[in-house]
Amino acid sequence: MNDCPFCAIAAGTIAADRIYEDEEVVAFRDINPQAPTHILVIPREHIASAAELTRAQDPLWGRVLHVAQQLAVSEDIDASGFRLVTNVGADAGQTVPHLHLHLLGGRAMSWPPG
Ligand code: AMP
Ligand code: ZN
């Protein structure tokens, strides 16, 4: 998708504070952090949201999840706890139409979310 900001970050044509990348996945710090650690993990492949995932993409989604887990360790929030969120569509407040997993931690969080 030509005008997708996260495709541009994955391609390196938009700057981001990238902290991890491999052939399938890129992770970078959220530009508007909502917690001391706020990282977005994305597949390089353009997928609009979790609502669009196919069974063939099970390994890719698993990879996104595992990278988030590893980053929780490297950010030293694995013991204190962290939250993984993927917003889907308008009611969830999704603003970027490229699948991304939020990794949030470093402070206590309330439930239910707003
Ligand atoms: P969502 O509301 O779940 O779609 O989350 C999109 C997130 O992307 C928000 O938390 C934004 O702050 C973040 N974001 C948008 N553009 C950028 C960017 N260029 N670099 C880093 N984070 C971004
Ligand atoms: Zn995209």
Side-chain angles (χ1 to χ4, degrees):
M1 183 181 271
N2 285 335
D3 56 356
C4 171
F6 287 2
C7 281
I9 286 173
T13 56
I14 287 180
D17 187 1
R18 300 156 80 101
I19 54 175
Y20 177 83
E21 60 186 299
D22 62 28
E23 319 78 56
E24 294 178 302
V25 167
V26 179
F28 51 94
R29 295 196 189 278
D30 197 292
I31 202 167
N32 183 23
Q34 301 300 310
T37 292
H38 188 173
I39 293 167
L40 302 175
V41 186
I42 66 168
R44 289 185 184 275
E45 180 181 355
H46 183 86
I47 302 166
S49 77
E52 306 297 321
L53 281 166
T54 66
R55 186 159 186 182
Q57 291 163 331
D58 283 359
L60 178 59
W61 182 239
R63 182 77 195 130
V64 168
L65 191 60
H66 194 215
V67 166
Q69 179 229 63
Q70 291 179 308
L71 290 171
V73 173
S74 62
E75 292 285 309
D76 199 25
I77 55 172
D78 54 319
S80 53
F82 54 91
R83 187 169 289 174
L84 300 174
V85 176
T86 186
N87 294 316
V88 178
D91 273 4
Q94 184 180 3
T95 57
V96 178
H98 181 128
L99 178 62
H100 50 282
L101 185 63
H102 295 257
L103 166 62
L104 296 144
R107 66 169 172 83
M109 282 170 258
S110 59
W111 191 264

